[in-house]
Amino acid sequence: MVVRRRGTPEGGTLSLALLLQDLDFGGTQRQTVELAHRLDRERFAPELWVLKKGEDLAPIAREYGIPVVRLGDASYVSPGSLHRLYSTLRQRPPHCLTTLTAVPNIWGRLLGRLVGAPLILGSCRGGGAPKRQHEKWLWRFADHHMTNTVQLKRRLIAECGVPEAHISVIHNGVDVSYFSPPPEGERERVEAEDGPVVLCVARLVEDKDHASLLTGYARIAADHPDAQLWLVGDGPLEANLRKRVGKLLDAAGASQDRVRFVPGQLDLRDIYARASMLVLPSIREAMPNVVLEAMACGLPVVATQVGGLPEMVAEGETGLLVPARNPEALGDAIGRLLTEVELRRAMGRRGRKRAEYAFSWRAMVERFSTLVESLVYQNALAEGPPGESTWLG
C-alpha cells in the first residue's frame, strides 16, 4: 500500500513539476520550456525536472528564469537519478507532477504513485508513445492524460483501454510573432535569383523516412533543374543518406550539390525564410512543431497522412497530404507546388492564418492551465480537507 498525500492551496499558487528526460533539442522539450515560460506566475510556480544530461535548451530555460532541478548528470537515466526523483517527490511533492517524454512517463508515474504524489498528469505525444510508455498497463498510474492530437486520444482508447473522460487533447502551440513570413516580395526575389528550396526539418532517423523523400525528389529533379533540397537535422542515418543522394541523383542526371545537409539548430527562421515549402515524409508523427513553425512563416506543407498531420495541414488549402512510404506521391506533390507557383503562395498565406487562429501559444497555455487547475481542485473536493492522507491499496 502507498499513502497518497493531499493538500491543495485554497486559491493559492500551484507548484508544477514538468518532468523531462533531458533538455536536448526535441519537440516535446521545446514545447515544455515555452509552456513553462508562458504560464501565469500568479497561478503556477513551474519547475523543469530533468533526469539526465542534455543541455541544448538549458540556455533558453535560464534566459526565461525557469528553475531547473537536475536529477542526474549521466548520459542515460541512471538508478541514481531515479533515486533522486523519488527523494525529491517525497521531500517536496508538487501539486501537479506532469510527466513528459517516454522514460518520465514510466518512472515518474510509478515513483509518483509510490510516494503518494497529489496529482500525476501523464502525457502521450508521439506516434510510438503508447507502446514505448506501456500505456496498456501504466495508464492507471496517472490521474489524467493529455495528448496533442485527437488521433492519439483515439488510439489510447482503442488500443490501451483508457477511458475517454481520462484524456484531454491540447494541441501544440507556436509563437506567431517569433515565427513570421519574410517581408513581402523577399521570398519571391530570392527564388528568382537562386531557385526554390524544398525544405525538410527532421532528425535523420528511420521514422522520418528521408529515403522516400530523396527518391521522390530524384524523380522530379530533371523537370525542376533549379530546385534544391535542404535536409536540416542531425542523426545516425546521415552517412547512409549521403550515399543514397549520390546514387539517386547520378541516376537522374542531376548534380549532388542540389541536396544540402544542414546541421540542426535552435533558430530556424532564416532557413524558413529561404524555403519555398516544407516537406515532412514521416511514417510516424504526433504533432511536429516544425509544421506549425513553417505555417507561421508562410510556407505550404507537403506531409504524410499519419498521426496528427491531417489535423494540422488542411488538404488542398494549406498544403498537400500523401500516403506514407510512397515516394511517387511525395514527388508528385512536391513537383506540383514547384510548378504551380501561385498555388504555393496562396497555400502559404492560408497556412499563416491557420497558425494564427488555431495554434496560438495563448490558446495552448490557457487550455493547459485550465486543465491542471480543474484536476487539482477536483482532487481537493474529492479527498476532503487539506492535509488529509488516504490509503491506496
Side-chain angles (χ1 to χ4, degrees):
M1 291 188 178
V2 296
V3 176
R4 188 159 188 186
R5 289 176 288 183
R6 300 292 174 182
T8 307
E10 298 180 0
T13 302
L14 300 179
S15 57
L16 176 65
L18 300 163
L19 181 63
L20 289 161
Q21 181 166 306
D22 53 53
L23 287 176
D24 284 334
F25 287 129
T28 296
Q29 289 89 332
R30 184 59 191 261
Q31 286 279 317
T32 303
V33 170
E34 295 295 336
L35 170 65
H37 173 52
R38 288 169 168 78
L39 287 169
D40 184 348
R41 292 304 190 270
E42 293 186 0
R43 297 162 68 184
F44 299 97
E47 294 181 341
L48 300 175
W49 291 13
V50 186
L51 288 173
K52 74 179 188 69
K53 184 167 62 177
E55 299 298 307
D56 293 335
L57 297 174
I60 295 180
R62 285 195 294 270
E63 178 185 343
Y64 289 166
I66 306 168
V68 177
V69 177
R70 299 283 179 184
L71 301 169
D73 55 8
S75 59
Y76 59 95
V77 179
S78 67
S81 63
L82 295 178
H83 182 266
R84 282 186 284 274
L85 173 60
Y86 173 80
S87 299
T88 304
L89 284 169
R90 280 185 60 87
Q91 292 164 10
R92 53 185 191 95
H95 295 113
C96 178
L97 171 65
T98 302
T99 55
L100 300 133
T101 60
V103 174
N105 266 296
I106 297 171
W107 287 104
R109 297 183 205 178
L110 293 173
L111 295 176
R113 192 58 76 225
L114 181 63
V115 303
L119 174 69
I120 300 174
L121 176 58
S123 67
C124 197
R125 295 177 53 85
K131 183 177 180 179
R132 285 197 300 268
Q133 296 173 189
H134 308 291
E135 292 293 354
K136 188 173 183 178
W137 297 278
L138 296 184
W139 70 263
R140 296 170 180 83
F141 289 83
D143 294 280
H144 197 80
H145 270 62
M146 61 178 179
T147 69
N148 55 354
T149 69
V150 174
Q151 186 263 357
L152 269 174
K153 177 176 180 176
R154 290 172 180 158
R155 283 187 58 196
L156 287 175
I157 295 169
E159 299 173 17
C160 304
V162 185
E164 182 175 2
H166 197 86
I167 310 169
S168 296
V169 177
I170 301 178
H171 287 133
N172 288 358
V174 64
D175 188 339
V176 294
S177 59
Y178 185 83
F179 292 101
S180 59
E184 188 172 353
E186 179 66 14
R187 183 169 278 143
E188 293 82 349
R189 182 189 66 78
V190 175
E191 285 180 1
E193 293 179 0
D194 301 321
V197 168
V198 178
L199 174 65
C200 178
V201 180
R203 287 265 300 156
L204 305 180
V205 295
E206 291 287 349
D207 278 2
K208 304 303 181 182
D209 195 19
H210 290 83
S212 288
L213 172 57
L214 291 175
T215 301
Y217 174 75
R219 289 182 70 250
I220 55 95
D223 295 332
H224 303 278
D226 59 342
Q228 305 171 51
L229 174 62
W230 290 11
L231 304 180
V232 179
D234 308 299
L237 296 184
E238 181 173 345
N240 289 338
L241 291 172
R242 286 184 180 274
K243 291 178 184 177
R244 187 181 290 265
V245 167
K247 293 178 182 178
L248 288 171
L249 292 191
D250 285 347
S255 170
Q256 297 181 29
D257 294 340
R258 291 174 57 182
V259 178
R260 287 183 53 188
F261 286 82
V262 182
Q265 48 202 272
L266 193 58
D267 189 349
L268 295 169
R269 287 176 296 176
D270 288 344
I271 290 176
Y272 289 134
R274 176 63 185 90
S276 307
M277 70 184 78
L278 179 81
V279 181
L280 198 63
S282 305
I283 59 175
R284 277 181 289 272
E285 279 292 355
M287 194 173 197
N289 295 329
V290 294
V291 171
L292 296 181
E293 293 169 1
M295 288 167 57
C297 290
L299 291 176
V301 178
V302 175
T304 46
Q305 296 165 323
V306 300
L309 288 169
E311 298 174 39
M312 307 169 76
V313 180
E315 164 64 22
E317 294 293 320
T318 67
L320 300 172
L321 294 169
V322 300
R325 298 188 190 274
N326 192 323
E328 294 78 13
L330 196 60
D332 289 346
I334 294 169
R336 180 183 175 189
L337 291 188
L338 288 172
T339 300
E340 300 182 37
V341 178
E342 287 308 313
L343 175 65
R344 191 168 82 220
R345 304 267 190 262
M347 284 183 169
R349 289 190 295 270
R350 290 193 289 263
R352 167 67 187 183
K353 291 180 180 178
R354 182 168 171 79
E356 289 176 332
Y357 73 76
F359 301 108
S360 72
W361 263 114
R362 179 181 298 178
M364 186 266 202
V365 171
E366 188 53 39
R367 289 185 194 114
F368 177 84
S369 301
T370 301
L371 173 64
V372 171
E373 287 176 333
S374 66
L375 292 172
V376 168
Y377 290 110
Q378 283 172 21
N379 268 4
L381 291 173
E383 297 296 335
E388 281 194 355
S389 296
T390 59
W391 285 94
L392 299 179

